[in-house]
Amino acid sequence: YPLCALAVSDERPVSTQSTWGALKDMNLCKLIESDAKLFRDLFQDLFPNVEQADPDYGEFAQVVELMLEKQGLQVMPAVVRKVIQIYEALQTRHGNMIVGRTCSGKTTGWRTLAMTLNELNRRDKSKHPGAEYHLINPKAVSMDNLYGYFDPATREWCDGILSATLRNVSEDESPRWKWLILVLARSTRCGSSR
């Protein structure tokens, strides 16, 4: 058995290539560029004979580039890579946070991903489910309006924005990816004066 092989139910080892894939999917998207290089170097030191090949996103990456152009944005490899990393994170986790400085591409990343998934869905519904998103700014409303509350006068529950949206999304049985996006910072236009 290789050093870091994982055993599956039939006791066959999982390859170190699979280990690399799992570690990459769970960690790389959380790292800044300089730390990502250190992560790759560390893995290469631990597993010198394992090729750190990234999956070929061919058509997916082409559609990401097309969607960036459609938004009037410059196509940069780092942005395409970040959109792909968000996509990979969404495939491995139910809850994700995209954090960063103002104008660092957080909104561009998830919006471009949604556009990409919807374009791929338009091309082939059987392979790509598409995506929809719901934006909520929790700082713009009171806690009662956000979560809901029990009205003591009528003795009825009143849904808040978040609970009503979650209910509607969970009742929708379509295969589309459904994202509930909580925008926690004041949105500003990059490059605009205040």
Side-chain angles (χ1 to χ4, degrees):
Y1 283 45
L3 174 59
C4 198
L6 305 171
V8 291
S9 60
D10 62 0
E11 298 184 12
R12 286 183 295 164
V14 174
S15 72
T16 48
Q17 188 65 42
S18 297
T19 303
W20 161 245
L23 288 170
K24 179 183 76 70
D25 289 347
M26 297 305 284
N27 295 294
L28 208 52
C29 63
K30 298 186 236 178
L31 303 175
I32 61 174
E33 196 65 38
S34 59
D35 289 344
K37 182 181 178 342
L38 289 173
F39 177 81
R40 287 179 182 273
D41 290 346
L42 177 63
F43 192 87
Q44 191 63 46
D45 288 346
L46 291 171
F47 304 98
N49 298 325
V50 175
E51 181 185 343
Q52 297 180 23
D54 290 325
D56 178 21
Y57 279 101
E59 179 189 14
F60 188 89
Q62 289 173 352
V63 175
V64 169
E65 292 174 5
L66 181 68
M67 294 302 108
L68 287 168
E69 289 172 356
K70 189 174 182 177
Q71 296 173 81
L73 301 171
Q74 184 177 359
V75 175
M76 298 177 64
V79 176
V80 174
R81 188 169 47 254
K82 188 53 67 176
V83 172
I84 290 171
Q85 287 176 343
I86 295 169
Y87 175 68
E88 290 173 340
L90 288 170
Q91 290 184 311
T92 57
R93 297 177 189 84
H94 291 290
N96 288 274
M97 288 178 38
I98 302 173
V99 296
R101 295 178 182 221
T102 302
C103 299
S104 63
K106 300 176 298 293
T107 301
T108 297
W110 67 257
R111 278 203 174 131
T112 302
L113 178 57
M115 292 173 69
T116 299
L117 294 172
N118 289 329
E119 174 61 23
L120 290 168
N121 174 262
R122 187 188 66 72
R123 294 179 183 187
D124 186 352
K125 290 184 184 346
S126 65
K127 287 175 60 177
H128 305 284
E132 67 180 58
Y133 56 87
H134 306 270
L135 289 174
I136 297 176
N137 182 348
K139 292 184 177 182
V141 296
S142 69
M143 295 292 275
D144 286 348
N145 286 336
L146 181 64
Y147 294 110
Y149 62 95
F150 181 76
D151 186 337
T154 62
R155 303 193 52 79
E156 292 181 350
W157 173 258
C158 297
D159 269 339
I161 297 167
L162 186 59
S163 55
T165 304
L166 281 171
R167 179 176 290 111
N168 291 338
V169 166
S170 65
E171 289 174 352
D172 181 355
E173 295 183 9
S174 71
R176 286 187 315 273
W177 286 12
K178 296 150 192 89
W179 304 337
L180 187 59
I181 299 174
L182 302 180
V183 181
L184 297 177
R186 191 188 89 194
S187 182
T188 59
R189 297 208 122 227
C190 297
S192 65
S193 60
R194 293 182 188 199

